[in-house]
Amino acid sequence: MSTTTPKTAFWRGVRDSAPFTLVAGPFALLFGVIATEAGLNLFEVMTFSLAVIAGAAQFTALQLMQENAPTVVVIISALAVNLRVAMYSAALTPYLGRAPMWQRVFAAYLLVDQSYALSHQKFEAEPAMTVSERMGYYMGTCMLVMSVWYGASLAGAIIGSALPPQIPIDFALPIAFLAMVAPALRTLPHVIAAFTAVVVSLFAASVPWSLGLIIAGAAGMIAGAQAELWMERRT
């Protein structure tokens, strides 16, 4: 059944994004707790969440900050982790590129994994949707998840500020990364990329300023891309 109005599309987006709050909520809560343990105050935690809105990049930055890496390394590493968003933007441009500029700016700010996945699938399944209907659906997929993200980040920061310093929660950061990466290992190139990055990171652990993370990430991406090319040639 096709969407009839932008308002209807918006509420469908909200409905379709509801299951993702079960992931975004605990993830943001964990970020708030760990961020306070890393030395950020409540204002800094919320500014971080409002400015970045990217869980993987935020956790990467926190890890490097705890290791006293230079600011430029923290920024470059976070940007490298978030490069996938540029691909998301390119994929959505044919569907949303004719929307008014102010809407596109707002859409770019809110672009995350969930909004991209839901919207791209919806737009491909219903090509008859107008630009305003597509934008309405896209905004719907963003609003609920973002609200939960902000609220849970605030709650985590408050909880983290109240925790006694002797309670160790440093273990939560690597667990959070494993929870993000494991579900993405769906194909052989994904596994090769992850395995290569792990091996290279072990050898590059002594590289100063945590630059081994960037080296390992680049090696993993190259290995994964080559694996995909090899599989395409075979088929």
Side-chain angles (χ1 to χ4, degrees), residues 46-73:
M46 294 311 299
T47 300
F48 202 169
S49 284
L50 288 168
V52 180
I53 320 181
Q58 289 177 225
F59 276 103
T60 299
L62 280 178
Q63 178 69 52
L64 293 173
M65 289 165 62
Q66 288 179 318
E67 296 176 3
N68 297 317
T71 302
V72 66
V73 174

Side-chain angles (χ1 to χ4, degrees), residues 181 183-196 220 223-225 227-228 231:
V181 172
L185 302 180
R186 297 187 297 268
T187 66
L188 180 60
H190 291 159
V191 175
I192 292 175
F195 179 78
T196 302
E228 285 189 349
M231 291 179 65

Side-chain angles (χ1 to χ4, degrees), residues 195-207 212 215-216:
F195 179 78
T196 302
V198 169
V199 172
V200 173
S201 68
L202 293 175
F203 284 101
S206 59
V207 177
I215 296 172

Side-chain angles (χ1 to χ4, degrees), residues 5 17 22 53 60 70 79 96 107 118 125 143 166 171 178 185 190 204-205 230-231:
T5 66
S17 68
L22 300 177
I53 320 181
T60 299
L79 288 174
L96 303 176
L118 288 171
M143 287 301 120
Q166 62 268 26
F171 69 90
L178 289 174
L185 302 180
H190 291 159
W230 176 75
M231 291 179 65

Side-chain angles (χ1 to χ4, degrees), residues 144-161:
L144 182 60
V145 174
M146 290 299 98
S147 298
V148 171
W149 179 265
Y150 296 142
S153 295
L154 176 61
I158 294 173
I159 293 172
S161 301

